[in-house]
Amino acid sequence: MSSITPCLWFDDQGEQAAEFYTSIFPNSKITNIARFGPGGPRPEGTVMTVQFELDGREYVALNGGPAFTFTEAISLQVFCGSQAEVDEYWARLTDGGQESQCGWLKDRYGLSWQIVPTALGELLGDPDPDRARRATEAMLRMKKIDVAELRRAADGT
């Protein structure tokens, strides 16, 4: 099968964004930078695209100009095995960005992320509908997901 690579459209901050993202996630690196040549829509030599990997997955950052910006219609999910991971990714990605609701945030470049503890699915999908409802109600009041608080809410304490 052919590979699928998300292409993220930036005004002119693609290289900075790729450097920022690769500094946050393990097993990440910039793999290629292509520059505009003569006669392009941007000055010759400026960055056109940046190919990079986040935890081994390929992405491309395109410096396409100000015509398009990110919306919450697309987001990147980061599944975390512990509260410490949630806390770290939340802090790093909201640095210069903006917190939202239910584990969502926008980074300094306007890209939306969901920081999701793996325990969230377990709690929201609890076979006891009352536990699941209480966990869901607690999550809806949160910005960053707090697993201990979700567990307390599910338990009714």
Side-chain angles (χ1 to χ4, degrees):
M1 179 180 145
S2 298
S3 65
I4 298 172
T5 303
C7 179
L8 305 173
W9 182 296
F10 295 87
D11 179 358
D12 61 359
Q13 319 93 336
E15 185 174 18
Q16 294 89 344
E19 288 171 350
F20 177 63
Y21 302 146
T22 58
S23 75
I24 293 173
F25 296 97
N27 190 30
S28 299
K29 61 186 175 186
I30 292 176
T31 57
N32 189 51
I33 297 176
R35 299 185 182 279
F36 285 102
R42 294 272 172 112
E44 183 177 354
T46 59
V47 173
M48 180 174 57
T49 60
V50 180
Q51 294 172 285
F52 62 103
E53 295 177 5
L54 297 181
D55 199 19
R57 293 182 186 220
E58 294 182 0
Y59 294 82
V60 172
L62 167 69
N63 285 334
F68 301 107
T69 58
F70 295 116
T71 73
E72 290 83 355
I74 182 126
S75 62
L76 301 180
Q77 292 182 314
V78 180
F79 291 96
C80 303
S82 69
Q83 187 67 48
E85 277 187 297
V86 168
D87 295 345
E88 179 182 349
Y89 289 128
W90 189 267
R92 295 187 73 187
L93 288 166
T94 57
D95 181 17
Q98 175 183 357
E99 295 182 352
S100 190
Q101 294 298 119
C102 304
W104 287 61
L105 64 88
K106 280 188 183 181
D107 68 30
R108 63 180 70 170
Y109 302 101
L111 182 60
S112 292
W113 296 79
Q114 297 177 56
I115 309 302
V116 183
T118 54
L120 182 63
E122 163 201 330
L123 291 162
L124 299 185
D126 192 292
D128 178 339
D130 288 330
R131 283 181 52 79
R133 177 188 49 77
R134 288 189 300 264
T136 300
E137 288 171 353
M139 180 206 60
L140 292 172
R141 292 188 301 269
M142 295 179 181
K143 290 187 178 194
K144 177 178 71 174
I145 302 298
D146 181 328
V147 175
E149 179 59 31
L150 287 178
R151 289 190 194 287
R152 284 191 292 275
D155 293 340
T157 59

